[in-house]
């Protein structure tokens, strides 16, 4: 019975943590619930960086009633000062009887230290219930904090015969309006969107978050442009109020064009190589607190990401259309595998349908 109650209240804490998706980055998504004698005294989640953590919000709501209560937390409470005080100190001052923690925090500053401090204070601590749920919810944070790299997700819209455009480069629209709306929903969960310059030149997109669920959401736009071909009249340059624009370029790029883009408010980041090194781009983003990247194309960028094994996750929408043509670009090009056993394999796949499109979600 105790275990069932623990699961129930932890599920409630996770429902709160889900609300932080797309907003709390680069911090983890965390929810907390304070319970005594089956009465919920307080709940909360960490909304945004600099805002109070989930435990602090829940304990503030519970007030003095939190004495001898049980706290349910989706992630190990922090023990260090950041933009907010250590959560463990708040929990000790609340005189809790028991703390149920779903998973340890992989951050070396916190890992097992929060649990240890609670136990030293005589508080009963349980760890590990619904841990897999936390691993999925905080997959971005876990990679960012342990690998010092952003979590990379890509999306691709393809025809039934694997094409991403016609032989004349027409790609609007392969997927249905409902599928595109879903992809816009996914956009908002990320810190940054990434495209190659060919996508800008071909489609002239805004790359903003426009789904109604993400009102007020700003997102960083990352453009890979080795020769600085980004037009000064590109539509994206009119949307700086919706998020930063970072243009990664090579040492061969024109300084005059770089200055013109800088005057427009664009951040131009030259790399010390004739070609753009994707690993260096991702490392730079991580160092600047970009913990998740949504790669939206084009075909060359997707292929490079796959060949260099820099992608963590992908959404492929397959529409019931046959485009045909040897010259029509396919989703994954490059050198290709000689043998089937050498091909890239998606793991932990999930397949579902939107309108007439089939969506496959999977991990590498």
């Amino acid at each position: 019975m105790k275990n069932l109650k623990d699961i129930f209240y932890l599920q409630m804490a996770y429902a709160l943590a889900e609300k932080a998706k797309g907003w709390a980055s680069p911090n983890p998504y965390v929810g907390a619930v304070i319970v005594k004698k089956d009465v919920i005294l307080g709940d909360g989640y960490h909304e945004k960086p600099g805002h109070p953590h989930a435990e602090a919000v829940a304990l503030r709501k519970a007030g003095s009633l939190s004495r001898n209560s049980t706290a349910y937390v989706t992630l190990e409470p922090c023990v260090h000062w950041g933009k907010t005080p250590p959560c463990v100190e708040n929990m000790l001052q609340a005189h809790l009887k028991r703390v149920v923690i779903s998973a340890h925090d992989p951050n070396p500053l916190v890992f097992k230290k929060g649990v240890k401090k609670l136990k030293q204070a005589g508080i009963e601590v349980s760890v590990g219930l619904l841990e897999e749920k936390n691993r999925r919810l905080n997959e971005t944070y876990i990679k960012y904090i342990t690998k010092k790299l952003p979590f990379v997700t890509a999306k691709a819209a393809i025809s039934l015969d694997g094409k991403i455009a016609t032989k004349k480069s027409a790609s609007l629209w392969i997927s249905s309006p409902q599928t595109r709306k879903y992809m816009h929903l996914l956009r908002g969960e990320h810190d940054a969107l990434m495209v190659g310059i060919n996508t800008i030149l071909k489609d002239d997109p805004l790359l903003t978050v426009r789904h109604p669920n993400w009102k007020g959401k700003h997102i960083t736009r990352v453009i890979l442009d080795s020769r600085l071909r980004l037009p000064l009249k590109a539509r994206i340059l009119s949307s700086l109020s919706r998020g930063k624009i970072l243009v990664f370029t090579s040492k061969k790029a024109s300084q005059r064009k770089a200055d013109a883009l800088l005057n427009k408010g664009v951040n131009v980041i030259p790399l010390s190589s004739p070609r753009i090194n994707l690993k260096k781009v991702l490392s730079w983003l991580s160092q600047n607190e970009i913990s998740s990247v949504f790669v939206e194309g084009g075909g060359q960028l997707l292929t490079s990401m796959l060949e260099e094994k820099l992608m963590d996750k992908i959404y492929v929408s397959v529409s019931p259309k046959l485009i045909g043509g040897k010259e029509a670009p396919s989703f994954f090009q490059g050198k290709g595998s000689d043998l089937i056993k050498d091909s890239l394999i998606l793991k932990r796949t999930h397949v579902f349908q939107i309108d007439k499109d089939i969506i496959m979600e999977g991990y590498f």
Side-chain angles (χ1 to χ4, degrees):
M1 181 63 72
K2 182 179 180 180
N3 195 52
L4 289 175
K5 285 185 178 181
D6 287 349
I7 291 173
F8 175 81
Y9 291 120
L10 264 185
Q11 292 279 25
M12 188 176 294
Y14 271 111
L16 291 164
E18 290 274 358
K19 293 183 178 182
K21 258 192 169 182
W23 298 107
S25 176
N27 294 343
Y29 306 137
V30 185
V33 177
I34 311 298
V35 180
K36 183 161 65 175
K37 295 180 180 178
D38 292 330
V39 175
I40 298 171
L41 305 174
D43 57 31
Y45 67 98
H46 177 50
E47 295 182 16
K48 294 179 180 180
H51 286 223
H53 287 188
E55 301 92 325
V57 175
L59 288 169
R60 186 179 66 236
K61 289 181 180 179
S64 60
L65 295 175
S66 61
R67 180 182 287 270
N68 293 322
S69 64
T70 298
Y72 293 90
V73 191
T74 58
L75 193 68
E76 183 177 12
C78 62
V79 295
H80 64 294
W81 277 87
K83 293 179 181 178
T84 58
C87 291
V88 165
E89 295 303 323
N90 280 332
M91 299 177 88
L92 295 180
Q93 292 171 16
H95 302 289
L96 299 168
K97 180 180 181 181
R98 183 169 176 251
V99 178
V100 179
I101 299 168
S102 186
H104 287 294
D105 189 333
N107 188 337
L109 295 173
V110 182
F111 184 63
K112 294 189 176 181
K113 295 183 178 71
V115 170
K116 182 179 179 181
K117 201 159 187 179
L118 291 170
K119 287 182 175 180
Q120 287 175 338
I123 297 172
E124 180 188 345
V125 182
S126 301
V127 185
L129 195 60
L130 302 184
E131 187 173 7
E132 180 57 36
K133 192 175 183 73
N134 184 78
R135 193 174 293 116
R136 179 66 183 268
L137 175 64
N138 279 310
E139 60 190 12
T140 289
Y141 170 75
I142 291 169
K143 183 185 178 185
Y144 171 72
I145 208 71
T146 59
K147 305 291 186 183
K148 308 300 181 188
L149 287 170
F151 190 91
V152 179
T153 302
K155 69 99 171 173
I158 66 173
S159 62
L160 197 58
D161 52 345
K163 307 295 185 180
I164 58 172
T166 68
K167 61 184 179 182
K168 293 188 176 181
S169 299
S171 60
L172 305 180
W173 298 100
I174 290 177
S175 56
S176 70
Q178 293 90 334
T179 297
R180 298 199 300 273
K181 186 175 181 180
Y182 176 71
M183 293 303 168
H184 268 277
L185 182 64
L186 291 179
R187 262 190 191 182
E189 295 182 1
H190 297 80
D191 297 337
L193 301 177
M194 181 184 288
V195 296
I197 185 59
N198 287 333
T199 295
I200 301 292
L201 296 176
K202 185 179 68 172
D203 299 334
D204 196 19
L206 285 170
L207 297 178
T208 53
V209 178
R210 300 188 292 278
H211 194 281
N213 282 26
W214 298 108
K215 289 180 180 178
K217 167 82 179 189
H218 289 192
I219 195 162
T220 298
R221 280 73 59 80
V222 178
I223 302 170
L224 307 182
D225 185 5
S226 61
R227 290 181 283 155
L228 283 187
R229 292 185 290 154
L230 176 63
L232 295 177
K233 293 185 178 180
R235 289 203 309 150
I236 194 172
L237 299 184
S238 67
S239 66
L240 278 162
S241 62
R242 306 289 297 276
K244 295 178 182 177
I245 298 174
L246 309 178
V247 177
F248 286 87
T249 191
S250 70
K251 62 181 182 181
K252 291 184 177 181
S254 162
Q255 187 57 51
R256 188 174 180 179
K257 183 65 176 289
D259 291 340
L261 289 169
L262 287 167
N263 287 334
K264 291 273 190 179
V266 175
N267 294 323
V268 178
I269 303 150
L271 300 174
S272 59
S273 55
R275 298 182 63 187
I276 291 176
N277 185 310
L278 291 174
K279 290 180 182 178
K280 288 183 178 179
V281 170
L282 293 175
S283 179
W284 189 98
L285 294 174
S286 176
Q287 290 169 24
N288 287 271
E289 296 192 336
I290 299 289
S291 67
S292 61
V293 177
F294 198 45
V295 179
E296 297 208 6
Q300 290 180 8
L301 176 56
L302 290 169
T303 294
S304 296
M305 282 280 185
L306 287 166
E307 287 187 328
E308 295 183 39
K309 298 183 178 179
L310 298 175
M311 205 179 288
D312 298 291
K313 185 178 181 180
I314 194 167
Y315 290 87
V316 180
S317 66
V318 184
S319 297
K321 299 171 183 176
L322 294 168
I323 292 175
K326 291 182 179 180
E327 296 176 10
S330 60
F331 154 51
F332 183 25
Q333 301 171 51
K335 297 177 181 178
S337 303
D338 291 329
L339 300 171
I340 295 296
K341 69 180 182 67
D342 299 325
S343 59
L344 293 175
I345 299 173
L346 282 179
K347 304 167 187 173
R348 289 185 285 152
T349 56
H350 173 55
V351 180
F352 55 99
Q353 186 167 350
I354 298 177
D355 193 25
K356 294 180 180 180
D357 297 337
I358 301 298
I359 317 295
M360 175 172 281
E361 170 193 2
Y363 293 80
F364 292 98

